[in-house]
Every structure is written in C-alpha cells, then in structure tokens.
Amino acid sequence: MTKKWLILITIIMLAGVLVSGCADNTENTVVDEVEETEETTPEDAAIDSEPIVGEAQDYAVRMEYYGMMKPSELEINRGDSIAWRNYKPQNTYVLVSDDGLFEDQEMDSNDMFTYTFTESGTYTFSVVDVPDMTLTVTVR
C-alpha cells in the first residue's frame, strides 16, 4: 500500500510541475495578441500630437497619519497624474488645491483621489487643519 501512495504522490507532483510551466506560456501568448490588435483612432492621433514630454507617468502620494505627505515635492511632466491616498487609520483629511485645480476632496481612511496635470507650472496642495502637510508639484 505504501508503494501505491508513493507512486500517486509522484504523479501528482509531476502533473503540478507540468501545469505550472504551461500557465506561464499561455499568459504571454494572450498579452502578445492584445498588443498586436491595438489600433489608433483619429481622436488618439490628435491627442498624441499634443506636445507632451514622454509617456504619461503615475505618481503616488501618501497622506500619512502623523501629518505629512510623502513625498513633499514632485517634478513631473504635463500629462502625468498624481494619486493621493489617505493612510490615516481613522477620521478624514480634506485635500485642498491651493491653486484651485479641483474642489476640496474629503478623504476617509484609504480613500484615493487622482488628478492629471495638463498645464505647466508650480502647484501647491495642502490639508485642512494640518499646516505642515503640503505638497509642491512642478509640472514641466
């Protein structure tokens, strides 16, 4: 009876190794097919012709529970986005665009707000009632 169990366990392990190796190849094939079928519409061409430096990047800013934003300064390009996330375990923060780019954003714990920058300039962001919690963004 022990030999039967040993053979059964060996077969199961070999099958697991074979299946895990196949899953990786299938995933790459699907990605390649998706990339090949992308088409550019006239609207996309108009957007692409705008003078934006490089490809758009996404940046994350942590609103920490001890009253600071990480990072506190960013230098980005037009077309890039910033996502603020409230990491304070309880209560809320109110994110303010000191330059009026968007309305005040009340953010509960783990809430996220994203903004895409389309104009060059230097912008500041703060949090209501937390004077040291600021972010300065320079958009090229």
Side-chain angles (χ1 to χ4, degrees), residues 62-68 85-94 107-111 127-130 133:
R62 294 177 61 98
M63 300 168 71
E64 299 287 350
Y65 66 91
Y66 46 86
M68 66 185 307
R85 182 176 294 266
N86 178 1
Y87 282 90
K88 187 176 183 178
Q90 57 193 3
N91 297 328
T92 61
Y93 282 133
V94 178
M107 301 172 64
D108 290 326
S109 181
N110 286 320
D111 280 355
V127 172
V128 172
D129 297 329
V130 189
M133 197 168 185

Side-chain angles (χ1 to χ4, degrees), residues 27 40 43-44 49 79 97 101-103 105 117:
E27 204 170 287
T40 304
E43 293 85 19
D44 292 337
S49 65
S97 167
L101 296 178
F102 50 80
E103 294 182 20
Q105 299 295 314
F117 293 83

Side-chain angles (χ1 to χ4, degrees), residues 32-134:
D32 292 340
E33 289 173 11
V34 171
E35 289 175 4
E36 290 175 8
T37 59
E38 282 187 27
E39 294 182 21
T40 304
T41 63
E43 293 85 19
D44 292 337
I47 291 171
D48 290 340
S49 65
E50 292 179 14
I52 292 180
V53 179
E55 295 213 13
Q57 299 277 327
D58 296 325
Y59 295 88
V61 174
R62 294 177 61 98
M63 300 168 71
E64 299 287 350
Y65 66 91
Y66 46 86
M68 66 185 307
M69 286 193 215
K70 287 184 178 179
S72 60
E73 294 181 7
L74 276 173
E75 189 170 318
I76 65 174
N77 294 316
R78 284 187 302 122
D80 290 350
S81 298
I82 294 179
W84 287 264
R85 182 176 294 266
N86 178 1
Y87 282 90
K88 187 176 183 178
Q90 57 193 3
N91 297 328
T92 61
Y93 282 133
V94 178
L95 177 65
V96 176
S97 167
D98 298 337
D99 303 292
L101 296 178
F102 50 80
E103 294 182 20
D104 294 359
Q105 299 295 314
E106 186 171 317
M107 301 172 64
D108 290 326
S109 181
N110 286 320
D111 280 355
M112 185 172 66
F113 172 73
T114 302
Y115 183 79
T116 302
F117 293 83
T118 57
E119 302 282 330
S120 298
T122 300
Y123 304 98
T124 55
F125 304 90
S126 59
V127 172
V128 172
D129 297 329
V130 189
D132 293 333
M133 197 168 185
T134 61

Side-chain angles (χ1 to χ4, degrees), residues 11-32:
I11 291 172
I12 291 172
M13 289 177 59
L14 286 174
V17 170
L18 291 174
V19 170
S20 67
C22 293
D24 210 14
N25 292 338
T26 305
E27 204 170 287
N28 289 339
T29 304
V30 172
V31 171
D32 292 340

